[in-house]
């Protein structure tokens, strides 16, 4: 979430100052190894990706659409959904800024398949079912925190705006 927030800040400042070079640096620049394109690929997992080294050895394999910050379930502890939601919120807010300026980052898919829609659809079920033991059980025990510490379901309004054909996102709304 720190890297996503840094990119978001650069992007917002770039647009506020009408500085195209800063905007480009934030979105896609060979001089910035953590630009928006890189963060989509780096923050969102695809099945088979290596999880964060901070996860417990008994953690289930990552699933397509999960966010890297899931490891906070182990390191925070019990805040995997909260931190994953924060990263999705920051990436989505940055995508909305881009969308307002003619760049559709919601439509972007990384060369390895990652995109924002995958993350929305992965996490939707936790909010629909209010059951953190689903999808392999990694987030078990987080029910009491679900939707209370910055991971509000209002985030899914941004997702619905971008992906109105997603039944999972509609179900959250």
């Amino acid at each position: 979430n720190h890297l996503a927030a840094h990119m978001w800040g650069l992007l917002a400042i770039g647009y506020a100052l009408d500085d195209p070079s800063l905007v480009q640096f934030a979105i896609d620049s060979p001089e910035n190894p953590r630009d928006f394109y890189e963060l989509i690929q780096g923050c969102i997992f695809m099945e088979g990706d290596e999880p964060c080294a901070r996860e417990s050895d008994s953690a289930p394999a990552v699933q397509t659409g999960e966010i890297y910050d899931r490891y906070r379930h182990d390191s925070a502890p019990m805040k995997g959904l909260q931190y994953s939601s924060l990263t999705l919120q920051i990436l989505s807010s940055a995508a909305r800024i881009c969308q307002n300026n003619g760049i559709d980052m919601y439509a972007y898919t990384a060369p390895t398949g990652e995109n924002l829609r995958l993350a929305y659809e992965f996490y939707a079920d936790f909010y629909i079912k209010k059951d953190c033991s689903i999808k392999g059980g990694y987030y078990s025990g987080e029910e009491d925190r679900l939707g209370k510490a910055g991971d509000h379901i209002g985030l899914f309004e941004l997702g619905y705006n971008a992906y109105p054909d997603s039944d999972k996102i509609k179900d959250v709304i």
Side-chain angles (χ1 to χ4, degrees):
N1 60 52
H2 295 250
L3 298 174
H6 184 255
M7 175 276 299
W8 179 91
L10 292 173
L11 180 70
I13 291 167
Y15 277 121
L17 297 177
D18 195 23
D19 183 343
S21 63
L22 184 54
V23 169
Q24 186 65 41
F25 182 78
I27 296 172
D28 185 25
S29 173
E31 288 83 38
N32 182 2
R34 294 188 172 99
D35 62 37
F36 202 168
Y37 287 121
E38 302 300 324
L39 289 174
I40 294 286
Q41 185 173 341
C43 289
I44 300 170
F45 283 125
M46 297 298 283
E47 189 173 329
D49 285 349
E50 286 293 316
C52 176
R54 291 174 152 182
E55 290 185 19
S56 70
D57 292 336
S58 62
V62 301
Q63 298 176 54
T64 295
E66 271 189 288
I67 291 182
Y68 188 85
D69 289 312
R70 79 181 207 144
Y71 77 89
R72 295 297 197 158
H73 178 77
D74 293 321
S75 72
M78 297 294 187
K79 294 181 182 175
L81 289 172
Q82 178 185 344
Y83 277 94
S84 295
S85 178
L86 174 60
T87 297
L88 181 57
Q89 182 177 356
I90 294 166
L91 292 173
S92 295
S93 178
R96 182 65 184 186
I97 290 170
C98 289
Q99 187 178 50
N100 290 342
N101 288 280
I103 300 169
D104 192 356
M105 290 301 291
Y106 287 109
Y108 174 72
T109 297
T112 48
E114 298 88 350
N115 60 53
L116 290 171
R117 181 181 184 131
L118 293 173
Y120 273 107
E121 291 186 344
F122 178 82
Y123 288 104
D125 289 330
F126 293 98
Y127 295 91
I128 293 165
K129 298 177 181 183
K130 295 181 179 43
D131 180 357
C132 296
S133 66
I134 61 173
K135 298 192 176 195
Y138 183 66
Y139 302 97
S140 292
E142 294 189 29
E143 283 84 359
D144 291 343
R145 299 188 52 84
L146 187 62
K148 293 184 180 168
D151 59 344
H152 190 268
I153 63 170
L155 168 63
F156 286 85
E157 292 285 348
L158 288 174
Y160 182 69
N161 182 61
Y163 313 110
D165 61 327
S166 170
D167 289 336
K168 283 189 182 238
I169 297 171
K170 273 187 214 175
D171 287 348
V172 173
I173 301 298

